[in-house]
């Protein structure tokens, strides 16, 4: 139970209602004059695994007590603190924020959301009453995390680069030495001019020993720079490819762990674009452009040091355009990043059109909507064109302007250098070396400025990928999963509720299903039948209440381990591109051919499979398009039969087949459900005539439970459904389904 703001005794006497398991811990930690004002029990840890902890609001601080940690953590109350409450896809969170950063985040399942709201209200009331050591900010304090700089997304890639830090260190050393070697030739031009060429013009003979020595130095430095550059490029390209591969794998693995609620709000094309083009763009940036950027920075810094060491006055004149170029880079950076983010979103729209129309090409052609889809594609493509035109217009102005400034810098060097030579301040050799260095300096500066474009494009791509990686699943794993041994199949739903966003779908539902019992779920569309099945499969977690399997909360089981004990046949069968045998064995890849055939026989699929060109090795096509709807459904049933689950869920399993095929499948299902806990949703009520009980749902509640004959005799909701279906089938009111 939640605490209250009433006058609570000192910590030595813990307030009533505080869980007993925490009383001793809190009594030992609180000061004598420190009072508990509220608390919230938490059931998720920082990795979103089930674990118990307690967050406490006292008159002085926030306090977190955890069973998994030896010491508690605390945050003294300060004027710049605020509390943010969020409900994100089945997982609630409280975030403690100050004016600079997020201090703490505490997560919980939505059954604790009412207590969390009460704790937030108590925290706000604390400010109004002034009952604290420090005042608390008013409501309306910042409710978002501080904005992070754009480069932070690229810096977060270090998480993927860390395993290759030795190779990166070696690559950096090679880059440094290669850059240093490439700066040797201009330095050797000074003695060549001053000690060889100019004396020769004044009548002295050529000192060929000096010529050979200097030219040998030039050749050696060039060969050394080439070898070091080759090694550097090879190592960093090797590392970048592996960083890109790890990034794609980690993102895809994280996607697989997210709940169905996440995918319900995403477009397939957008996710494909992020995993594909965005990761490729980042990989290209790491392998080429980042290396060029590091080389450019090193070249600029080392060249500037050499120029200052040769002649500080001429060096300062050389660097005159540099502040203007740096200001332009800063000015254009954010504009490019926003432009690239818009371009990425529009490109996702193009990918979405392709991912919609190519799999659905049969529907497009059936309704003669080819031109409409072409128009959709053209509009998305035109939006992409407009945004890219704006980015290119900005970039086309920036690039030539930087080039113009570098040319002006060279003119300054020429003018000032000639003036210094005419006054015998420097030699012609020094001016020649300066011109050689400054040419490299401005070329690298121009190159570095152009890398701004690729950097911001990579930053936008990294941000979109980390948007996926930062999303937390609304169906968390337990911290210590309970093993599943000897599953009997008893399912208990105790006062469960579920809401999708602000819409309540299931409300205070109670149901006990005995081991081996077959329960049929019936009701109008939207009554909550499929949602209830999704909750039992733990595709979503309940917002309140609990679902138990054999007396254990299903949230205490590992998700994959739990779902392996459930055979699921969906209303719309989905087959992967591959052979018939591979699709049947999808849930049990190690199954033998004999086991696959046995499952197909049980699903009455063996006969039609043998009629296929290559039998069980026949390809089913994209999403099973090479098969009829009934054939796809029977393969999906065989897929469920093969794993031999103790729990079987049939979601409109026979809705997409004709009457003859339905009869065959029904015979197979009659044998299959024996000894298994079965939950079946059926549109045709005749398919549930053998169910032990029928559960009638309406608006997320159970309104009737009983057998077919009993429910008809009651003349209630089920009887009305039954009569409505009879009338829609065009038969008399006294007819019965066969």
């Amino acid at each position: 139970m939640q605490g209250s703001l009433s006058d609570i005794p000192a910590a030595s006497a813990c307030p009533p209602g505080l869980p007993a398991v925490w009383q001793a811990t809190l009594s030992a930690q609180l000061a004598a004059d420190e009072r508990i004002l509220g608390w919230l029990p938490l059931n998720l840890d920082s990795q979103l695994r089930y674990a118990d902890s307690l967050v406490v609001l006292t008159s002085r601080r926030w306090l977190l007590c955890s069973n998994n940690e030896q010491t508690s953590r605390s945050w003294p109350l300060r004027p710049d603190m605020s509390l943010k409450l969020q409900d994100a896809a089945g997982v609630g969170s409280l975030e403690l924020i100050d004016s600079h950063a997020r201090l703490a985040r505490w997560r919980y399942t939505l059954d604790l959301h009412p207590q969390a709201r009460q704790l937030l209200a108590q925290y706000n009331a604390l400010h109004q009453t002034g009952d604290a050591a420090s005042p608390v900010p008013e409501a309306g304090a910042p409710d978002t995390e501080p904005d992070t700089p754009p480069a932070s997304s690229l810096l977060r890639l270090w998480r993927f680069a860390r395993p290759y830090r030795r190779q990166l260190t070696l690559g950096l050393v090679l880059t440094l030495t290669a850059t240093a070697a490439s700066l040797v030739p201009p330095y050797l031009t000074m003695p060549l001019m001053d000690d060889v060429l100019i004396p020769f013009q004044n009548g002295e003979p050529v000192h060929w020993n000096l010529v050979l020595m200097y030219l040998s130095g030039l050749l050696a430095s060039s060969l050394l720079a080439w070898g070091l550059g080759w090694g550097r490029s090879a190592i960093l390209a090797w590392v970048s490819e592996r960083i890109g591969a790890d990034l794609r794998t980690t993102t895809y693995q994280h996607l697989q762990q997210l709940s169905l609620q996440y995918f319900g709000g995403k477009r397939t094309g957008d996710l494909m674009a992020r995993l594909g083009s965005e990761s490729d763009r980042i990989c290209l940036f790491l392998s080429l452009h980042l290396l060029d950027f590091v080389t450019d920075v090193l070249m600029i810094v080392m060249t500037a040091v050499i120029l200052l060491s040769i002649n500080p006055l001429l060096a300062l004149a050389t660097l005159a355009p540099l502040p203007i170029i740096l200001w332009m880079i800063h000015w254009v950076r954010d504009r490019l990043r926003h432009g690239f983010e818009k371009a990425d979103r529009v490109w996702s729209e193009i990918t979405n059109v392709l991912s919609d129309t190519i799999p659905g090409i049969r529907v497009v052609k059936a309704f003669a909507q080819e031109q409409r889809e072409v128009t959709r594609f053209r509009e998305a493509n035109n939006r992409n064109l407009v945004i890219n035109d704006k980015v290119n217009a900005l970039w086309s102005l920036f690039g030539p302007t930087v080039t113009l400034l570098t040319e002006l810098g060279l003119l300054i060097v020429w003018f000032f250098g000639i003036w210094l030579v005419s006054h015998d301040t420097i030699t012609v050799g020094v001016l020649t070396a300066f011109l050689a260095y400054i040419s490299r300096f401005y070329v690298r500066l121009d190159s570095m400025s152009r890398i701004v474009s690729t950097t911001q494009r990579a930053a936008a791509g990294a941000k979109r990928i980390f948007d996926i990686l930062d999303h937390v699943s609304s169906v968390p794993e337990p911290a210590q999963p309970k093993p599943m041994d000897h599953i009997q199949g008893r399912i208990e739903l105790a006062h469960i509720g579920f809401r999708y966003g602000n819409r309540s779908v299931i409300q205070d539902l109670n149901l006990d299903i005995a081991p081996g019992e077959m329960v049929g779920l019936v009701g109008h569309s939207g009554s909550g039948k499929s949602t209830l099945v999704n909750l039992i499969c733990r595709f979503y977690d309940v917002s309140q209440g609990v679902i138990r399997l054999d007396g254990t909360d299903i949230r205490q089981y590992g998700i994959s381990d739990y779902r392996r004990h459930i055979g699921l046949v969906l209303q719309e069968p989905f087959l992967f591109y591959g052979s018939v045998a591979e699709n049947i064995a999808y849930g049990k890849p190690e199954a033998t051919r004999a086991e696959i055939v046995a499952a197909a026989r049980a699903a009455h699929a063996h006969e039609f499979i043998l009629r296929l060109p290559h039998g069980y090795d026949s390809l089913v096509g994209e999403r099973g398009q090479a098969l009829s709807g009934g054939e796809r459904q029977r393969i999906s049933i065989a897929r469920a039969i093969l794993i031999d689950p103790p729990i079987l869920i049939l979601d409109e399993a026979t809705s997409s087949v004709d009457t003859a095929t339905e009869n065959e499948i029904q015979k197979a299902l009659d044998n299959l459900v024996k000894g298994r806990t079965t939950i079946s949703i059926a549109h045709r009520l005749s398919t549930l005539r053998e169910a032990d009980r029928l559960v009638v749902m309406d608006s997320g509640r159970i309104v009737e439970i009983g057998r077919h004959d009993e429910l008809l005799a009651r003349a209630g909701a089920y009887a009305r459904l039954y009569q409505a279906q009879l009338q829609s089938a065009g038969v008399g009111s006294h007819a019965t389904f066969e």
Side-chain angles (χ1 to χ4, degrees), residues 189-205:
T189 60
M190 287 191 298
L192 274 173
M193 294 290 296
D194 294 337
D195 299 340
V196 177
L197 294 179
I198 293 178
F200 173 75
Q201 287 183 338
N202 294 330
E204 297 183 14

Side-chain angles (χ1 to χ4, degrees), residues 252 256 260 268 272 355 358-360 539 568-587 620-640 651-653 655-656:
Y252 183 75
Q256 293 295 320
L260 292 182
T268 302
M272 292 173 61
S355 64
I358 293 177
F539 294 144
L568 180 63
V569 180
L570 299 172
Q571 178 180 1
E572 298 179 1
F574 185 94
L575 301 184
F576 296 92
Y577 185 86
S579 68
V580 172
E582 289 171 341
N583 274 278
I584 294 177
Y586 185 77
V620 300
E622 186 77 18
R623 303 192 181 189
Q625 293 300 317
L627 304 176
S628 69
E631 290 170 343
R632 291 197 298 270
Q633 189 63 282
R634 278 181 279 177
I635 289 179
S636 70
I637 292 173
R639 183 167 56 192
D651 188 355
E652 302 277 8
S655 63
S656 60

